[in-house]
Amino acid sequence: YPIRIAKNFGAQKMLETTVFNFNDLTVLLAGFFSLILVAMLVARNRDDRDRNLLLAAFFLQSALYSVDTLLYWNHNINATASAISANFFFALGITFFLQGPILYWCTRKIIYRTFELDRGQLLHLVPAVLYPFYLYSIYYRYDESHKLQYVHDWSVVSGAPYFVALMWTQNLVVFFYS
């Protein structure tokens, strides 16, 4: 059931434009609720401030994942963003590599009250740190017209071995941390 915005142009027939479909609304609501939880957790003053901040980071990552999903899959948002620049796309894919470590740290903080983030724990961020470099090598270094092929045609993305490897890696990382 798409949500439509009606436009009235005087004597002309009323036109309708689909803005969001049902799937988009669920993604929007998930992102919105995640942002509400971020605000609540950051504003809360308790002894477990570190745990709250880790939970807030997890929900912020979830909200960014929702933005990334809408950016690519909502036709109106995709068309508007790609008309501005193809560089908006795939950047938030880093959220796949942040989800696992943040949730892991949060879980450790809840289970072990003495858990502290140290340099060894930061090794969990290696995939997230490598992501922009990999993405540059397979996407950002190309010209706008080449990038727009990836933006407007999923079969191009799913047919490119370097993107397929990236998608498998993203899914394996989430699975590994699960």
Side-chain angles (χ1 to χ4, degrees), residues 94-147:
I94 196 168
T95 60
F96 277 95
F97 297 111
L98 295 174
Q99 180 181 29
I102 293 171
L103 191 56
Y104 171 71
W105 294 329
C106 187
T107 304
R108 297 229 8 160
K109 185 69 177 169
I110 291 169
I111 294 172
Y112 306 108
R113 295 275 180 197
T114 60
F115 174 76
E116 295 295 327
L117 227 68
D118 58 16
R119 285 186 178 170
Q121 293 296 325
L122 295 178
L123 289 175
H124 291 278
L125 294 177
V126 168
V129 169
L130 294 177
Y131 178 79
F133 298 104
Y134 186 77
L135 197 59
Y136 175 80
S137 70
I138 68 170
Y139 180 73
Y140 285 115
R141 69 185 178 116
Y142 294 107
D143 64 13
E144 192 83 1
S145 63
H146 183 80
K147 289 188 264 190

Side-chain angles (χ1 to χ4, degrees), residues 55-104:
L55 269 173
F58 176 76
F59 286 115
L60 179 61
Q61 168 274 322
S62 297
L64 291 174
Y65 177 76
S66 296
V67 170
D68 183 57
T69 301
L70 284 174
L71 184 65
Y72 194 85
W73 293 107
N74 180 284
H75 296 294
N76 295 324
I77 296 172
N78 183 298
T80 302
S82 64
I84 297 169
S85 174
N87 290 329
F88 290 126
F89 297 87
F90 304 108
L92 294 176
I94 196 168
T95 60
F96 277 95
F97 297 111
L98 295 174
Q99 180 181 29
I102 293 171
L103 191 56
Y104 171 71

